[in-house]
Amino acid sequence: MGSLKEATTRDDESGFMATRVNELINWGRKNSLWPMPLGLSCCGIELMAMIGPKFDIARFGAEAARFSPRQCDVMIVAGTLTWKMAAAARTIYDQMPDPKWVIAMGVCSSSGGMYDSYAVVQGVDSILPVDIYVPGCPPRPDALIDAIMKLQRKIERENPIRRVLEGPQELDESGTGRLDVPANSMVETHRMGTYKTDSGLRKDQYTGRSREKN
Amino acid sequence: MAALKHMLSLGWDEVRETQDRDSMPTLTVALERLHEALEVLKRDCGFETVTLVTAIDHSPSEPRFELIHQLLSIQNNDRLRLRCALRGDHPNAPTCTDLWPGAAYMERECWDMFGIRFDGHENLRRLLMPEAYGHHPLRKEFPHQGIEPDRLYREWERERIQRAEAKTSQEGAGL
Ligand code: SF4
């Protein structure tokens, strides 16, 4: 997308610019990510550091951490998710309005980490569709900022206008995928966030790309 | 040890002093008189606080479980450990929440982790694991990666999807 500054400071002061709707929407979305801080344990401290003035995530437009899922775009799972907590985490995710993304921060939420145990979810991707994984125990705030930037790059490639044209009727109420996908097991997570076209092709809910190969 | 002397003077012949490696004074009592012993220690020997209620699984030997109470006396700067053997795989023990209400959480954890029931506990629910979880993780036979750790979540998930489906079909019928 052409820069807004360029458009508004042109000599004729017309304030007019041409762009594609997808790019305009994506530009708005990626620069106003409101995180849902799911700070479950030690990683939460680094998450707070990232939001604070020293690392200052406001430079990337993602500093407005909200504690109501209804106002959030990106869920940052920062910490050890236990099975007892898993249902609550899933409920919070379902309550977030579309479009939404998930960052798994730290090895605990990425893979269970050192807690190879009966109480801990071995990777939040067994209950949520994860967009970005951040390694580290805990990751430095820089690493999380890098994750936010990677997520922005991912959002740039999405195709939001498709949902306007085709309608979300194939999605369930939470927008997370088809209802005919029963359990979110490790094998089936890649199907979440997808929809099925009339020809039976499974496509990504955001990018519109085929996800069948997974 | 003052506490032991006092108990012997009250005629507790079966109380034994044992030597633990950490040199904390330790008494062994029988299960039948455990609650009585705790009461005496609180009333006469100044142990105002219970700092720990836990258990040890000695499986496969019998008696299988050993219940541990650790007491603290602030006025005498004294600590005491009480050991009590429990027989069987699903033992019961008397609660000490009537003496120290703060022991409630520790007894709940003990029930959750070892499956030891505390008679007289007012709210003996699991502390860390989900209430419907059918196993006791700190028992020796429990595998450390757990027995179907995700079962309850999957059930919840299935119900959630069923509810959502029922809702959509209802809306579909209403149209
Ligand atoms: S990854 Fe490390 S720092 Fe983060 S929650 Fe797990 S144990 Fe704590």
Side-chain angles (χ1 to χ4, degrees), chain A residues 30-49:
Chain A
K30 78 173 197 205
N31 289 312
S32 62
L33 287 169
W34 287 17
M36 168 81 227
L38 199 66
L40 297 170
S41 50
C42 10
C43 269
I45 304 296
E46 300 296 306
L47 178 70
M48 292 173 225

Side-chain angles (χ1 to χ4, degrees), chain A residues 188-205:
Chain A
E188 280 167 334
T189 6
H190 69 275
R191 290 213 209 146
M192 295 174 65
T194 63
Y195 67 103
K196 237 179 188 163
T197 59
D198 288 343
S199 52
L201 225 63
R202 192 171 284 284
K203 288 185 164 182
D204 188 282
Q205 157 189 345

